[in-house]
Amino acid sequence: MESLMNSAEEQQPSSPPGNSWSKQEEINKNETPKCVGGFVLVHAGAGYHSESKAKEYKHVCKRACQRAVDRLKAGALAAEAVAAALVELEDSPFTNAGMGSNLNLSGEIECDASIMDGKSLHYGAVGAISGIKNPVLVANRLLSEAQKGKLSAGRIPPCFLVGRGAHDWAVGHGIPPCPSEKMATKFSLSAYKRNKRKMALAEKMDTGHNHAKKRRQSSETENGSGCLDTVGAVVVDSEGNVAAAVSSGGLAMKHPGRVGQAAHYGCGCWAENAFNNPYSTAVSTSGCGEHLIRTMLARECSAALQSEDAHKALLEAMQNKFISSPFLAGEDRVLGGVIVLRCCRCVESPPSQNIQGILVEFLWSHTTESMCVGYMSAQDSKAKTHISRLPPGTVPGQCLAIEGGVCRLSVAE
């Protein structure tokens, strides 16, 4: 089931009223041609976002957008800007990434993160890493080191490291360690203690299969920390390059060593400049990692966006490649969400020899109860934010919501 709703944004869009779900940015033709930076779309997780904390979720999305746009205006390429947005999301105690991440069964924080650069097609990732405040910085450093070429004696540089090896590599490359106890918050610690009590009680009770399943489903909305999963961002820079990144503390009470989709290639994020395709695309996912891994949703959505109608393509991909995927046939609820953008060069109207435009289409979709997003172009004075929700009466995991917009950037040649 599709839901196409107007965004309840915090500032009125400057777009014409003809399209209820689009955001159009037009250049002032009388201004001196100049590079205006780019565009960023971020998410603070697909899951459940309570109304009581809505302001905090929106604020962190705004800050992440502003951080990325500041880097773009300073001349940074897409990969650097998307990493900057993720650092802001990881530093928030309200997100399940970096600071304040879910604790695993052993009471420790293990994080996953990855980043992909659409220009070079290089990818960097870390899984089940502990003691690093911003896992995305390690993933980004892996990416940049790989772009330098082979190591001594012709060795291939790593693109994906896990556990202690990832931690030691990060410290060896100048990323400071952070004790795990300093990364836990009062909220994440209280959620861990509450979950431990529930697990102990469940093990003592003969609940039966149906009752146990019902308890698991109800606990997903009771435990806000467990419901808010991966955070991420997608960016296009002033040159038309795209990048995507994702970061997560993983599922609450996960087994130590578990690696979610945020670190897996083609599952957590995807970015690909238009080489032989009409569009450059960038995707970042969120939700139940095992569902996203088994469907490789990020890459599937990227491929789908080469179709002419982006909205229809994403809708069909979420329905056919995710909700109705044969790889998830045994699941009664398929939980996940994506943010996507695609862009292409376009000629300004009237045509100009000095100005080329970049047309950016951006969308988000989710099968979870809600998803918090924010977006901003370098032409905007501040970011716009929105908490997207499934229509009342619909069942999470069995239907989806989809929304988005359009932004036109102008680039000096």
Side-chain angles (χ1 to χ4, degrees):
M1 178 177 181
E2 174 192 1
S3 170
L4 186 59
M5 301 171 285
N6 293 328
S7 295
E9 296 159 358
E10 295 184 353
Q11 70 179 80
Q12 292 299 316
S14 58
S15 59
N19 190 337
S20 65
W21 63 279
S22 69
K23 169 182 175 290
Q24 189 87 26
E25 298 288 351
E26 295 291 344
I27 187 172
N28 185 337
K29 303 297 190 299
N30 297 322
E31 289 183 355
T32 302
K34 61 180 181 179
C35 170
V36 294
F39 178 86
V40 57
L41 170 65
V42 307
H43 71 81
Y48 173 74
H49 300 77
S50 66
E51 292 289 355
S52 63
K53 293 187 176 68
K55 184 179 293 185
E56 286 83 359
Y57 300 136
K58 290 182 178 181
H59 280 173
V60 68
C61 285
K62 278 189 174 183
R63 293 195 302 270
C65 288
Q66 189 64 60
R67 177 81 73 96
V69 165
D70 287 345
R71 297 305 304 139
L72 290 169
K73 286 183 176 180
L77 296 181
E80 181 182 341
V82 83
L86 263 290
V87 167
E88 193 69 40
L89 291 166
E90 288 176 337
D91 286 348
S92 170
F94 294 99
T95 63
N96 177 29
M99 188 71 63
S101 289
N102 286 332
L103 277 65
N104 65 16
L105 276 173
S106 300
E108 299 172 342
I109 288 177
E110 293 181 328
C111 296
D112 308 323
S114 64
I115 184 170
M116 187 168 179
D117 173 33
K119 182 178 181 180
S120 68
L121 299 181
H122 278 283
Y123 147 92
V126 290
I129 188 172
S130 296
I132 298 294
K133 183 170 178 266
N134 295 112
V136 73
L137 293 182
V138 190
N140 193 40
R141 186 62 183 269
L142 282 164
L143 183 151
S144 62
E145 290 296 317
Q147 290 173 331
K148 295 177 182 178
K150 292 183 179 180
L151 304 174
S152 61
R155 292 174 299 142
I156 303 296
C159 66
F160 183 9
L161 293 174
V162 299
R164 186 68 192 181
H167 175 275
D168 292 347
W169 188 95
V171 174
H173 285 77
I175 297 174
C178 177
S180 294
E181 57 269 20
K182 289 189 176 181
M183 293 180 63
T185 62
K186 290 182 179 179
F187 182 74
S188 63
L189 286 171
S190 64
Y192 172 74
K193 293 175 182 177
R194 185 170 62 250
N195 285 327
K196 286 283 282 187
R197 290 194 298 268
K198 288 181 180 179
M199 290 180 62
L201 180 62
E203 289 172 359
K204 292 179 181 179
M205 296 174 60
D206 181 15
T207 57
H209 176 69
N210 292 331
H211 190 193
K213 184 165 70 172
K214 184 176 180 180
R215 285 176 63 87
R216 285 198 302 271
Q217 291 177 351
S218 64
S219 67
E220 289 173 358
T221 53
E222 291 170 5
N223 178 13
S225 180
C227 290
L228 293 177
D229 196 9
T230 311
V231 300
V234 290
V235 166
V236 55
D237 63 28
S238 61
E239 297 179 5
N241 302 309
V242 294
V246 60
S247 182
S248 178
L251 298 174
M253 311 306 288
K254 64 183 180 179
H255 194 282
R258 180 260 190 188
V259 177
Q261 105 285 352
H264 281 78
Y265 186 70
C267 305
C269 66
W270 191 263
E272 188 173 356
N273 278 15
F275 297 109
N276 299 317
N277 293 318
Y279 301 101
S280 297
T281 58
V283 182
S284 182
T285 68
S286 178
C288 177
E290 280 66 21
H291 295 171
L292 298 164
I293 291 169
R294 286 154 63 187
T295 55
M296 294 189 72
L297 189 62
R299 192 170 183 177
E300 288 284 5
C301 289
S302 175
L305 288 172
Q306 296 301 330
S307 300
E308 183 176 350
D309 187 331
H311 181 272
K312 180 180 178 182
L314 181 60
L315 178 65
E316 291 178 350
M318 287 293 289
Q319 184 64 56
N320 300 328
K321 301 293 186 179
F322 192 56
I323 296 176
S324 302
S325 170
F327 297 100
L328 300 177
E331 302 290 342
D332 55 352
R333 299 201 308 165
V334 179
L335 301 170
V338 297
I339 57 171
V340 305
L341 69 76
R342 75 175 189 181
C343 59
C344 63
R345 296 274 181 172
C346 59
V347 178
E348 292 288 328
S349 180
S352 167
Q353 293 182 347
N354 297 322
I355 296 291
Q356 268 198 341
I358 298 178
L359 182 65
V360 181
E361 296 177 84
F362 58 97
L363 293 159
W364 56 87
S365 179
H366 57 96
T367 67
T368 56
E369 291 189 47
S370 60
M371 188 171 189
C372 184
V373 299
Y375 54 91
M376 183 180 185
S377 80
Q379 298 161 276
D380 294 330
S381 59
K382 62 180 180 178
K384 298 178 177 67
T385 58
H386 175 52
I387 297 183
S388 174
R389 299 188 185 277
L390 290 180
T394 55
V395 180
Q398 298 178 3
C399 60
L400 63 90
I402 182 168
E403 304 178 64
V406 179
C407 176
R408 187 183 300 272
L409 307 175
S410 297
V411 181
E413 290 296 304

